[in-house]
Amino acid sequence: MALGKGPVAGACCAAIVLLAAAPACSTKVRRFDDGAGGGVVVSAASAGAGGAGGGGGGRPCDPGGLDACYSGPPGTLSRGACRSGLRTCDDEGNGHGPCAGEVVPAPDRCDTAEDEDCDGAVNEGCTYARCGDVPAGLPSDVYLLDLDGDGPEPEFPVYCDLETDGGGWALLYNSVGSEEGTTLQFWSIPHAERLGTRGEPAIGQNFYRGSLYFVGREYRDDIEDLEGTVKEVMRATAEGINSATMKLLRPTHVTGDANIYFAHFLSGWSSQDYDGDTDPEGNCAKQYQNVAQHYAKCWEYNLGADADEPLDDGGWGPHLGTHITDRIGLASDETRYTRVRRISRWTRW
């Protein structure tokens, strides 16, 4: 790494002219170049006209002067954790001592929110047993979970909400309204795929990962209306799930709307080819456009269908009964079963 001199920063002394002009005096500003075009002003040293070589009298450096130093790869300085250090010129001006205080790239750690290898990606390749293990300070985003380090899918991506009520929430399902009409078909999940995964984990996309019911212990449902207001509508707990019937084990209502808890958590699960709901009149999924989800009396909210005709509603997707919107303060589209922008279920353990 080469050290160079920057432009004159300003006068360092005042020349008093009596009979002849005093020698020119300027401040030489040293800059450090990290090889990527980033010059950093670090120190200034006074030099007379004869000191233009970097140190007075042609010395390599100015005695006692400080210069920036950095031994990391080009392009990593001031990125992530990487920082330059300082080196001190010796008393004779013959050279510099060691670079003190520099931070160069190191392997990324998984227990910090820092980019230790200075590549612009934080915790790249890190896996966690749950969203609650993601280090504090990182944003809500997609992270790799490895629940037990074994099995056919030891690592998988999950969107983690790291902000709500202390964070640690994994996105279990997410139904997002779409003018393109793609959401309705997404939720036509056959019984054989009830514990599978659909879509990519993202707060703005349709997503389903039924296998998280195995590990989930706390649950919450959020609904976002057409105006962008988000409300938490239900909290519950469970101790796992019966993988055949999809009934949650020992479910308990904690807070929020009791009707949503009863209809879409405490209840059974139905799909187009499996009638596990508790409605005595038939299969709720078949009645509502083959949308698979937990049902009791078939309706408080639906991940893919309307309850007003036409039930497909152009394929929009998530709908909520307006008796719920009125009660919890969400906007409606002035129909009995309003479109909403998003219905999300989160879990943590």
Side-chain angles (χ1 to χ4, degrees):
M1 298 291 180
L3 286 174
K5 290 186 178 180
V8 173
C12 69
C13 61
I16 302 176
V17 181
L18 296 176
L19 297 176
C25 183
S26 63
T27 297
K28 303 296 182 180
V29 180
R30 288 195 176 274
R31 289 179 177 267
F32 174 72
D33 189 343
D34 72 347
V40 181
V41 177
V42 177
S43 64
S46 295
R59 290 171 294 195
C61 57
D62 300 309
L66 296 174
D67 287 319
C69 52
Y70 183 68
S71 59
T76 59
L77 177 62
S78 299
R79 192 177 192 183
C82 291
R83 298 288 183 271
S84 62
L86 291 173
R87 58 182 185 172
T88 305
C89 182
D90 64 27
D91 292 341
E92 289 74 35
N94 293 324
H96 292 90
C99 186
E102 70 169 341
V103 180
V104 297
D108 253 345
R109 293 175 54 179
C110 293
D111 59 347
T112 73
E114 188 62 89
D115 174 18
E116 284 89 2
D117 62 3
C118 308
D119 67 347
V122 178
N123 295 24
E124 191 174 19
C126 293
T127 60
Y128 303 96
R130 57 197 183 107
C131 288
D133 293 334
V134 177
L138 289 177
S140 297
D141 206 339
V142 177
Y143 296 91
L144 282 176
L145 297 193
D146 185 355
L147 301 185
D148 57 12
D150 198 3
E153 191 183 25
E155 299 175 3
F156 54 87
V158 168
Y159 187 91
C160 294
D161 172 3
L162 305 179
E163 301 166 21
T164 303
D165 187 25
W169 297 96
L171 185 62
L172 193 152
Y173 64 61
N174 199 43
S175 178
V176 180
S178 170
E179 293 286 2
E180 288 72 37
T182 56
T183 300
L184 175 60
Q185 181 58 36
F186 181 94
W187 294 102
S188 182
I189 302 171
H191 186 250
E193 298 176 19
R194 64 196 179 279
L195 297 172
T197 301
R198 287 191 172 196
E200 298 296 325
I203 199 64
Q205 298 181 28
N206 290 301
F207 176 71
Y208 175 75
R209 183 176 285 276
S211 61
L212 288 180
Y213 279 120
F214 283 121
V215 294
R217 293 299 180 265
E218 293 182 73
Y219 294 87
R220 89 171 201 263
D221 285 4
D222 290 346
I223 298 181
E224 179 180 355
D225 68 17
L226 296 174
E227 296 180 355
T229 299
V230 180
K231 294 278 189 177
E232 179 182 303
V233 297
M234 187 275 295
R235 282 224 194 172
T237 62
E239 298 180 20
I241 197 166
N242 181 316
S243 61
T245 66
M246 291 294 283
K247 286 188 177 181
L248 289 147
L249 305 178
R250 290 174 284 281
T252 302
H253 183 218
V254 178
T255 60
D257 194 280
N259 288 352
I260 287 178
Y261 167 76
F262 173 76
H264 304 303
F265 193 84
L266 177 66
S267 57
W269 188 89
S270 292
S271 61
Q272 57 190 300
D273 57 351
Y274 178 78
D275 184 6
D277 61 61
T278 57
D279 191 292
E281 297 181 4
N283 184 327
C284 288
K286 277 191 172 182
Q287 292 179 47
Y288 291 101
Q289 304 294 296
N290 294 328
V291 174
Q293 64 176 61
H294 283 89
Y295 288 103
K297 57 182 180 180
C298 286
W299 195 271
E300 294 298 331
Y301 70 62
N302 196 291
L303 299 175
D306 198 352
D308 297 310
E309 295 290 346
L311 297 183
D312 64 14
D313 195 16
W316 170 267
H319 286 74
L320 175 66
T322 51
H323 59 287
I324 302 290
T325 66
D326 294 343
R327 191 157 64 233
I328 64 178
L330 290 174
S332 78
D333 61 9
E334 305 305 322
T335 65
R336 186 178 176 191
Y337 296 94
T338 181
R339 289 181 173 190
V340 292
R341 185 175 295 176
R342 171 172 61 89
I343 299 176
S344 306
R345 175 162 289 175
W346 306 85
T347 186
R348 65 182 176 185
W349 57 96

